[in-house]
PDB file of all heavy atoms in Angstrom:
ATOM      1  N   GLU G 206      15.492  -7.409  13.910  1.00 92.00           N
ATOM      2  CA  GLU G 206      16.843  -6.906  14.192  1.00 92.00           C
ATOM      3  C   GLU G 206      17.897  -7.826  13.584  1.00 92.00           C
ATOM      4  O   GLU G 206      18.831  -7.362  12.924  1.00 92.00           O
ATOM      5  CB  GLU G 206      17.087  -6.835  15.705  1.00 92.00           C
ATOM      6  CG  GLU G 206      16.464  -5.666  16.384  1.00 92.00           C
ATOM      7  CD  GLU G 206      16.664  -5.747  17.893  1.00 92.00           C
ATOM      8  OE1 GLU G 206      17.660  -6.346  18.355  1.00 92.00           O
ATOM      9  OE2 GLU G 206      15.799  -5.215  18.602  1.00 92.00           O
ATOM     10  N   ARG G 207      17.750  -9.142  13.816  1.00 92.00           N
ATOM     11  CA  ARG G 207      18.729 -10.103  13.298  1.00 92.00           C
ATOM     12  C   ARG G 207      18.848 -10.035  11.780  1.00 92.00           C
ATOM     13  O   ARG G 207      19.911 -10.262  11.217  1.00 92.00           O
ATOM     14  CB  ARG G 207      18.336 -11.536  13.702  1.00 92.00           C
ATOM     15  CG  ARG G 207      18.730 -11.926  15.092  1.00 92.00           C
ATOM     16  CD  ARG G 207      18.618 -13.427  15.331  1.00 92.00           C
ATOM     17  NE  ARG G 207      17.354 -14.027  14.940  1.00 92.00           N
ATOM     18  CZ  ARG G 207      16.256 -14.087  15.708  1.00 92.00           C
ATOM     19  NH1 ARG G 207      16.276 -13.570  16.932  1.00 92.00           N
ATOM     20  NH2 ARG G 207      15.157 -14.667  15.264  1.00 92.00           N
ATOM     21  N   HIS G 208      17.753  -9.715  11.109  1.00 90.00           N
ATOM     22  CA  HIS G 208      17.753  -9.671   9.651  1.00 90.00           C
ATOM     23  C   HIS G 208      17.975  -8.265   9.101  1.00 90.00           C
ATOM     24  O   HIS G 208      17.817  -8.048   7.899  1.00 90.00           O
ATOM     25  CB  HIS G 208      16.463 -10.273   9.110  1.00 90.00           C
ATOM     26  CG  HIS G 208      16.369 -11.752   9.359  1.00 90.00           C
ATOM     27  ND1 HIS G 208      17.460 -12.566   9.522  1.00 90.00           N
ATOM     28  CD2 HIS G 208      15.306 -12.570   9.470  1.00 90.00           C
ATOM     29  CE1 HIS G 208      17.081 -13.808   9.728  1.00 90.00           C
ATOM     30  NE2 HIS G 208      15.776 -13.839   9.713  1.00 90.00           N
ATOM     31  N   GLY G 209      18.329  -7.337   9.963  1.00 89.00           N
ATOM     32  CA  GLY G 209      18.690  -6.000   9.520  1.00 89.00           C
ATOM     33  C   GLY G 209      17.525  -5.106   9.131  1.00 89.00           C
ATOM     34  O   GLY G 209      17.733  -4.065   8.496  1.00 89.00           O
ATOM     35  N   LEU G 210      16.311  -5.492   9.488  1.00 91.00           N
ATOM     36  CA  LEU G 210      15.150  -4.663   9.152  1.00 91.00           C
ATOM     37  C   LEU G 210      14.902  -3.590  10.199  1.00 91.00           C
ATOM     38  O   LEU G 210      14.237  -2.589   9.920  1.00 91.00           O
ATOM     39  CB  LEU G 210      13.905  -5.541   8.982  1.00 91.00           C
ATOM     40  CG  LEU G 210      14.042  -6.609   7.893  1.00 91.00           C
ATOM     41  CD1 LEU G 210      12.817  -7.498   7.880  1.00 91.00           C
ATOM     42  CD2 LEU G 210      14.262  -5.972   6.539  1.00 91.00           C
ATOM     43  N   LEU G 211      15.415  -3.805  11.388  1.00 91.00           N
ATOM     44  CA  LEU G 211      15.388  -2.806  12.458  1.00 91.00           C
ATOM     45  C   LEU G 211      16.828  -2.567  12.894  1.00 91.00           C
ATOM     46  O   LEU G 211      17.590  -3.530  13.038  1.00 91.00           O
ATOM     47  CB  LEU G 211      14.616  -3.328  13.677  1.00 91.00           C
ATOM     48  CG  LEU G 211      13.112  -3.199  13.705  1.00 91.00           C
ATOM     49  CD1 LEU G 211      12.551  -3.825  14.980  1.00 91.00           C
ATOM     50  CD2 LEU G 211      12.675  -1.758  13.608  1.00 91.00           C
ATOM     51  N   PRO G 212      17.195  -1.322  13.097  1.00 89.00           N
ATOM     52  CA  PRO G 212      18.558  -1.069  13.573  1.00 89.00           C
ATOM     53  C   PRO G 212      18.746  -1.652  14.976  1.00 89.00           C
ATOM     54  O   PRO G 212      17.818  -1.645  15.781  1.00 89.00           O
ATOM     55  CB  PRO G 212      18.678   0.457  13.592  1.00 89.00           C
ATOM     56  CG  PRO G 212      17.345   1.013  13.267  1.00 89.00           C
ATOM     57  CD  PRO G 212      16.431  -0.110  12.888  1.00 89.00           C
ATOM     58  N   ALA G 213      19.928  -2.175  15.231  1.00 87.00           N
ATOM     59  CA  ALA G 213      20.226  -2.712  16.561  1.00 87.00           C
ATOM     60  C   ALA G 213      20.174  -1.568  17.571  1.00 87.00           C
ATOM     61  O   ALA G 213      20.784  -0.518  17.357  1.00 87.00           O
ATOM     62  CB  ALA G 213      21.595  -3.369  16.564  1.00 87.00           C
ATOM     63  N   PRO G 214      19.442  -1.765  18.660  1.00 91.00           N
ATOM     64  CA  PRO G 214      19.336  -0.696  19.655  1.00 91.00           C
ATOM     65  C   PRO G 214      20.576  -0.645  20.550  1.00 91.00           C
ATOM     66  O   PRO G 214      21.362  -1.597  20.607  1.00 91.00           O
ATOM     67  CB  PRO G 214      18.112  -1.112  20.467  1.00 91.00           C
ATOM     68  CG  PRO G 214      18.140  -2.602  20.403  1.00 91.00           C
ATOM     69  CD  PRO G 214      18.662  -2.940  19.033  1.00 91.00           C
TER      70      PRO G 214
END
Side-chain angles (χ1 to χ4, degrees):
E206 282 175 28
R207 278 193 310 274
H208 292 334
L210 301 175
L211 276 178

